[in-house]
Amino acid sequence: MDRRNNPYAPGAGLQPPELAGRDRLIEDASTDMDRLLAHRPVKGMMLLGLRGVGKTVVLNRLWRTAADKGLQTTKVEAPEGGALPQLLAPELRRILYALDLQAAATHRMREAASALRNFVSVFKVKIGEVDFGIEPTPGYADTGQLEQDLPDLIEAVAVAAEERKSAICLFIDELQYLSKMELAALIVACHEVAQRNLPFLLIGAGLPQLAALAGNAKSYAERLFTYPEMGPLDPAAAQDALVHPARHLGVVFEQDAVEAILRVTECYPYFLQEWGFHVWNIAPAGRIRRVDVEQVSPAVVEHLDANFFRVRFDRLTALQQKYLRAMAELGPGAHKTGDIAATLGVKAAAVATSRQQLIDKGMVWSQRHGETAFTVPMFDAFMRRQMSVFERHKPKRRRFRSGRAQKRGK
Ligand SMILES: Nc1ncnc2c1ncn2[C@@H]1O[C@H](COP(=O)(O)OP(=O)(O)O)[C@@H](O)[C@H]1O
Ligand SMILES: [Mg+2]
């Protein structure tokens, strides 16, 4: 069919033509925003899920909802390696300006602006002028300790918002990339604004390990946030995600074609978009049939291997790749860390560093102590395609050669 009309949207954070199966989540968050505006206590939210389940698109949707409700909003994505002050300061500055436009600078506004100015200066953030016509006041957000200063700053901005009868909703994607200190600072900030019932809400998203990272950073994080888990869609929603966009364009998605796609994709949103997109391009006008799905599937798998899976694989060392291959040997799902090591033919301690590096890179995660699972759905099958033969690990033996042996050239 005409590619120009192809409605499917495979890609990171691309708004799908039909945001299927997430109504409840969106409804809950939307209720939280109303409660925030009504000065009722609200817990922050951290959306958890593997890559490609649709966290970013839900975050974007909620961002729009918040803006429509008149909240002051900002959305940032935590970069790998982190730099939270640099990320947040300009956004908080923008919010202060937006609040300021609603009335002349008041006492609270001046305090918030002071805090921001101090924060920017102690954390050497590069930012435009923080100029609300105020003199610097020491004592706000200027200790140089992020865990002290970020809460001070967020609290000051939230107080200013309260004075303006407004509320702030901060969205942060890829939260698992924050350093422990940054995550702790953010959690402390949420804790403090919650205790003062200030109108500030954090909605974040990250890989599943985020829940444990937050709990390790501050043990009370468990009670401070809700952690909605996003997984594959249920089959009815997955069907809607495929069928509705086609129907809007007068195209029939035959039932057994839909079922074939649900089977290969296991109802993971990103894969649904990829299959929808590719099968559309080869299907005859007006109709998508099972034979079209069967015809296109090998090409879609190849496309995913070369792009989605491959970019992650290529960033790894040989030993890290081998570790993942051993996991794949054990099949999908979580595996005992000891079993993975045994499959590799080594002691768990010998590959503990590689495992930790894979966790830090967001390739694997650990739901329970001593278990390891992929953060990308169907990565096990990719690993088996990529490294078709599995070889056990043979650590290089250090050879201690005597000086005489070296001289003899042995
Ligand atoms: N509920 C949904 N229904 C249909 N497609 C979706 C849904 N959620 C996400 N997608 C699609 O899945 C892909 C990945 O979404 P994204 O938000 O980037 O996932 P994540 O942030 O969890 O990695 C995008 O192509 C998006 O259009
Ligand atoms: Mg995302």
Side-chain angles (χ1 to χ4, degrees):
M1 272 180 285
D2 190 343
R3 288 161 186 255
R4 277 165 292 201
N5 296 335
N6 192 329
Y8 300 99
L14 284 191
Q15 196 61 37
E18 167 98 7
L19 185 53
R22 305 297 188 205
D23 294 354
R24 179 69 192 276
L25 187 55
I26 291 168
E27 180 62 37
D28 285 351
S30 167
T31 307
D32 284 350
M33 292 173 199
D34 292 336
R35 288 178 58 86
L36 190 73
L37 284 166
H39 279 269
R40 306 242 181 271
V42 188
K43 280 188 179 182
M45 191 182 255
M46 293 195 184
L47 306 173
L48 306 179
L50 303 183
R51 298 221 180 263
V53 292
K55 300 177 296 297
T56 300
V57 298
V58 166
L59 218 56
N60 284 337
R61 166 63 69 86
L62 296 178
W63 185 22
R64 261 213 324 272
T65 307
D68 289 347
K69 288 180 188 290
L71 279 87
Q72 293 296 333
T73 63
T74 176
K75 180 174 170 254
V76 295
E77 182 181 319
E80 234 169 315
L84 191 64
Q86 179 63 57
L87 209 61
L88 285 187
E91 295 300 319
L92 293 171
R93 169 176 177 262
R94 197 177 49 67
I95 287 180
L96 276 185
Y97 272 107
L99 290 168
D100 189 39
L101 288 179
Q102 294 166 17
T106 60
H107 177 57
R108 297 303 194 191
M109 283 297 305
R110 281 202 296 275
E111 279 183 355
S114 274
L116 180 60
R117 187 188 256 191
N118 296 343
F119 185 86
V120 160
S121 148
V122 287
F123 291 101
K124 303 194 172 47
V125 174
K126 290 205 181 56
I127 188 175
E129 271 288 286
V130 182
D131 186 8
F132 290 82
I134 49 153
E135 293 302 313
T137 356
Y140 279 118
D142 62 356
T143 67
Q145 304 293 319
L146 192 63
E147 212 175 289
Q148 173 92 49
D149 295 346
L150 186 67
D152 275 3
L153 173 59
I154 285 184
E155 191 172 328
V157 177
V159 167
E162 184 183 41
E163 195 192 48
R164 288 283 180 280
K165 311 238 172 317
S166 186
I168 297 171
C169 197
L170 169 63
F171 295 92
I172 309 186
D173 205 354
E174 306 282 6
L175 266 176
Q176 78 281 351
Y177 284 144
L178 293 185
S179 69
K180 186 171 181 183
M181 187 183 61
E182 292 173 335
L183 195 54
L186 198 61
I187 294 167
V188 172
C190 290
H191 194 208
E192 291 191 354
V193 291
Q195 288 173 60
R196 291 189 58 187
N197 200 21
L198 292 170
F200 176 89
L201 176 63
L202 172 71
I203 300 186
L207 294 176
Q209 64 260 39
L210 174 60
L213 292 175
N216 289 341
K218 286 283 157 198
S219 56
Y220 57 74
E222 246 171 65
R223 283 159 288 144
L224 202 56
F225 300 98
T226 59
Y227 298 90
E229 284 178 21
M230 295 177 63
L233 299 179
D234 65 45
Q239 169 151 347
D240 290 348
L242 289 171
V243 173
H244 288 179
R247 189 180 297 155
H248 284 308
L249 295 168
V251 171
V252 176
F253 219 125
E254 289 184 2
Q255 186 60 28
D256 53 358
V258 170
E259 277 161 20
I261 295 184
L262 300 197
R263 247 192 325 277
V264 278
T265 59
E266 297 173 12
C267 300
Y268 276 101
Y270 167 62
F271 299 138
L272 290 171
Q273 295 300 325
E274 284 287 8
W275 255 271
F277 183 82
H278 284 91
V279 78
W280 173 282
N281 288 344
I282 64 141
R287 191 160 282 274
I288 296 172
R289 306 154 308 167
R290 185 188 176 126
V291 287
D292 302 321
V293 176
E294 280 162 1
Q295 187 196 327
V296 85
S297 283
V300 185
V301 172
E302 221 169 273
H303 170 83
L304 287 173
D305 281 2
N307 298 279
F308 181 69
F309 293 121
R310 191 64 204 238
V311 286
R312 296 182 163 76
F313 179 82
D314 281 348
R315 291 186 306 185
L316 306 174
T317 66
L319 183 53
Q320 290 165 354
Q321 292 176 351
K322 226 174 211 179
Y323 192 90
L324 299 184
R325 181 60 184 83
M327 283 173 67
E329 192 68 8
L330 296 167
H335 301 295
K336 293 217 175 68
T337 305
D339 292 348
I340 301 167
T343 306
L344 274 168
V346 298
K347 294 233 163 63
V351 281
T353 310
S354 297
R355 175 176 177 269
Q356 187 55 47
Q357 289 161 345
L358 287 166
I359 292 176
D360 294 342
K361 285 186 177 175
M363 292 299 302
V364 302
W365 71 294
S366 178
Q367 181 160 28
R368 269 177 294 277
H369 185 70
E371 280 190 4
T372 311
F374 289 111
T375 57
V376 175
M378 301 172 153
F379 207 84
D380 58 309
F382 164 72
M383 286 304 300
R384 286 191 299 271
R385 288 193 294 273
Q386 184 66 30
M387 298 166 78
S388 52
V389 183
F390 172 65
E391 284 173 30
R392 287 160 76 97
H393 183 52
K394 294 187 209 83
K396 286 196 192 92
R397 284 190 192 283
R398 283 210 195 118
R399 285 210 265 164
F400 296 101
R401 305 172 77 196
S402 72
R404 217 180 296 155
Q406 274 176 16
K407 271 191 208 132
R408 285 201 308 265
K410 287 201 179 152

